Amino acid sequence: MLTATIFYGAVINPLSLTCYSAFPRCLLAVDGTGNIEWIVNDVEPHALQDVLAAKGHVDAEVLALKDGEYIMPGFIDTHTHAPQVPNMGTGGQYQLLDWLHNITFPMEAKFSDLDFAQKAYKSVVRRLINTGTTTCCYYGTLHLESTKVLADIVHAFGQRAFVGKCNMNRDSPPYYIEPSPESSITATHDFINYVRALSPSTSKQEPLVQPILTPRFAISCTDELLASLGALASSDPTLRIQTHISENPSEVAYTRELFPAAPHYAGVYDMFGLLKQNTVLAHAVHLTEDEVNLIKERNAGISHCPTSNFNLSSGIAPIGHYLDKGIKVGLGTDVSGGFSTSMLNAVQNASVASKVCAFHGRDSEPSSKSVFASKPLQISALLYLATLGGAAVCDLERQIGSFSPGKSFDALLVSVREETGNSGIWGLTEPPTTTLTPDKELEGWLERFLFCGDDRNIERVYVQGRFIGGRTFHS
């Protein structure tokens, strides 16, 4: 049981795609279970003790933030491949299918070695935590035991995560493929039971680490395997599902060849019962309008992975159009198609992608009702996609992604102060260019962090109220 913690200082809180709050003098209490107990948004220093007394915390220890520091919800990475992190920064000369066979599958095959997996995954999870990812959707490999190792490490480090053992019994190299649908499903059942034993759920909240069904993508799974996974998902509606969709034109065309009975790529997952309200669809670069409508109808979510989409020459997803349709969208780093574990990189490239869409009309023609199509994403939208939008994609928006009483305190303590050592951010010791009100100054700190920040600016990382990482963390 954690002791109660009270923070006093600046707080950024996403509210919607078009709005967030920025309070310079906020008082926020986290209870002993790691949940937010209460928030008072505007507390002048002279009123601090009166507010604490009214809340029953007369002698409470308060963690006071410095000028240039603020608290915001932690980042939610809705799509990444833990065993691909060692390949970051390589293979950008390939497109998707060649990249898988020349770069990715050889690396993932190495994770049959449990000693290698242990060392690699410890580094992977620590890196993601320290770059501010409080919740992550991890793909493991097809190996049962090494993916258990990944789940063990995530649990030990205190990160919130969905961890999946890949299902792939077709169109993979002979050294890296599951022998049959039966063996794949048996291993999946084993993995689900193992992960659920790590951190049992409570009546109020879901566990920190959860299993997730992970058919790699339609190409790598036979009809029989997809049907078995669909049956498993139907028997246990709490199981999330993660997979890829419409990342690359060649991939889309090949999928259509393999599944001629399906009307389109999204229809493949739908016909096997794998397109649901807790399905995470990565990429979605080349969807048809029929697919967009089906995804909206099923209330599935899209993980927007702009860095990978650029790096592997896949294209630019028309995210503004999807947002106008009311589809749930979050961000993903998609390492190692993406070349950074940092969600800040995903935020920055999501901004660039939206501007390219606006320049070239990649989104559908905006109508008078369009809010996002063919327009650059604003700071409020970028913040939302990295936090509360990702929570919605993971079907966890009632528990994480923003700050309100009863939600888990998954948070970052961010600093834009000169002492962090990030020369890319104009520090507080430099002469100001304008005179700003405190709330406008705080909004400026957020924007500078999103576009110029890195792990040096993340002082502390909290998950469920527990301090688990960041620049000042020492294990």
Side-chain angles (χ1 to χ4, degrees):
M1 181 73 70
L2 299 168
T3 57
T5 305
I6 299 175
F7 298 90
Y8 179 58
V11 173
I12 298 283
N13 194 20
L15 302 174
S16 71
L17 283 159
T18 58
C19 182
Y20 67 91
S21 65
F23 289 102
R25 294 172 295 274
C26 185
L27 200 58
L28 186 153
V30 180
D31 67 22
T33 67
N35 295 328
I36 298 169
E37 185 177 352
W38 47 263
I39 305 173
V40 180
N41 286 326
D42 196 6
V43 180
E44 294 289 348
H46 64 80
L48 182 60
Q49 291 305 319
D50 290 340
V51 174
L52 288 171
K55 294 292 185 180
H57 293 281
V58 177
D59 299 317
E61 183 176 349
V62 176
L63 197 164
L65 276 59
K66 301 174 183 176
D67 191 29
E69 294 181 341
Y70 62 88
I71 291 171
M72 62 173 285
F75 293 133
I76 298 172
D77 187 343
T78 56
H79 181 73
T80 204
H81 296 262
Q84 293 179 22
V85 172
N87 279 340
M88 274 196 310
T90 66
Q93 70 272 31
Y94 295 109
Q95 290 195 20
L96 176 65
L97 298 181
D98 289 336
W99 171 80
L100 286 170
H101 285 274
N102 288 288
I103 300 294
T104 301
F105 290 155
M107 174 56 72
E108 291 193 13
K110 293 182 180 180
F111 283 78
S112 61
D113 181 335
L114 294 186
D115 288 336
F116 178 79
Q118 185 77 225
K119 293 175 183 176
Y121 283 148
K122 281 185 176 179
S123 177
V124 168
V125 177
R126 175 49 57 201
R127 287 169 189 237
L128 266 76
I129 291 172
N130 287 344
T131 53
T133 298
T134 52
T135 297
C136 190
C137 293
Y138 286 111
Y139 284 59
T141 61
L142 59 76
H143 309 108
L144 171 61
E145 296 305 321
S146 68
T147 310
K148 288 180 180 178
V149 168
L150 173 58
D152 286 339
I153 291 168
V154 170
H155 180 256
F157 283 15
Q159 190 181 39
R160 191 182 304 278
F162 297 93
V163 182
K165 188 208 80 64
C166 280
N167 301 105
M168 42 190 295
N169 73 326
R170 176 171 63 178
D171 270 282
S172 300
Y175 62 85
Y176 189 57
I177 190 169
E178 293 182 294
S180 68
E182 293 79 14
S183 64
S184 182
I185 290 297
T186 297
T188 299
H189 277 287
D190 187 333
F191 183 73
I192 291 169
N193 293 334
Y194 183 85
V195 174
R196 284 180 168 168
L198 289 175
S199 51
S201 61
T202 67
S203 58
K204 291 185 177 180
Q205 292 180 314
E206 298 189 38
L208 281 183
V209 185
Q210 299 188 54
I212 185 169
L213 293 182
T214 308
R216 186 176 199 115
F217 60 165
I219 290 173
S220 66
C221 299
T222 60
D223 289 43
E224 185 178 355
L225 179 53
L226 289 173
S228 297
L229 291 169
L232 179 53
S234 177
S235 68
D236 188 348
T238 65
L239 269 175
R240 273 70 166 185
I241 303 159
Q242 61 180 357
T243 192
H244 300 78
I245 191 169
S246 298
E247 180 176 357
N248 173 280
S250 297
E251 168 219 8
V252 175
Y254 189 35
T255 301
R256 296 297 304 273
E257 289 180 24
L258 292 175
F259 299 93
H264 38 57
Y265 200 151
V268 174
Y269 297 129
D270 193 51
M271 66 191 286
F272 290 109
L274 294 168
L275 196 62
K276 306 172 68 175
Q277 87 287 346
N278 54 9
T279 299
V280 183
L281 298 167
H283 300 288
V285 178
H286 304 284
L287 297 177
T288 66
E289 196 62 16
D290 285 345
E291 290 178 291
V292 173
N293 291 333
L294 178 62
I295 290 168
K296 170 59 179 174
E297 182 181 341
R298 298 289 185 263
N299 198 28
I302 289 173
S303 175
H304 179 34
C305 306
T307 305
S308 175
N309 295 341
F310 283 133
N311 190 45
L312 297 182
S313 304
S314 296
I316 300 176
I319 294 303
H321 178 52
Y322 302 158
L323 294 176
D324 280 339
K325 283 280 189 175
I327 292 174
K328 299 179 296 188
V329 179
L331 296 181
T333 57
D334 191 33
V335 171
S336 66
F339 45 75
S340 174
T341 59
S342 174
M343 283 286 288
L344 288 170
N345 178 271
V347 166
Q348 293 152 16
N349 278 305
S351 175
V352 172
S354 71
K355 291 174 181 178
V356 175
C357 282
F359 291 154
H360 298 292
R362 173 65 181 90
D363 279 328
S364 62
E365 191 67 26
S367 69
S368 59
K369 296 182 180 180
S370 295
V371 176
F372 303 102
S374 295
K375 297 176 183 177
L377 291 171
Q378 302 301 305
I379 294 299
S380 57
L382 294 168
L383 174 66
Y384 181 90
L385 293 179
T387 55
L388 196 52
V393 169
C394 295
D395 201 28
L396 272 180
E397 70 273 23
R398 296 167 299 281
Q399 186 171 338
I400 59 172
S402 63
F403 298 141
S404 63
K407 296 186 84 168
S408 300
F409 186 69
D410 289 13
L412 309 180
L413 198 166
V414 174
S415 173
V416 295
R417 295 169 61 86
E418 194 77 10
E419 63 208 38
T420 65
N422 182 354
S423 60
I425 290 183
W426 187 263
L428 297 181
T429 60
E430 307 295 344
T433 56
T434 58
T435 301
L436 300 173
T437 59
D439 58 329
K440 291 299 181 182
E441 186 177 43
L442 178 53
E443 291 176 12
W445 294 349
L446 172 64
E447 187 171 5
R448 291 183 185 194
F449 171 61
L450 292 181
F451 286 100
C452 303
D454 59 33
D455 57 303
R456 290 171 293 182
N457 300 106
I458 299 172
E459 296 279 294
R460 292 185 170 212
V461 179
Y462 292 89
V463 173
Q464 198 61 48
R466 178 184 168 197
F467 176 24
I468 68 165
R471 187 174 69 89
T472 61
F473 178 78
H474 302 286
S475 57

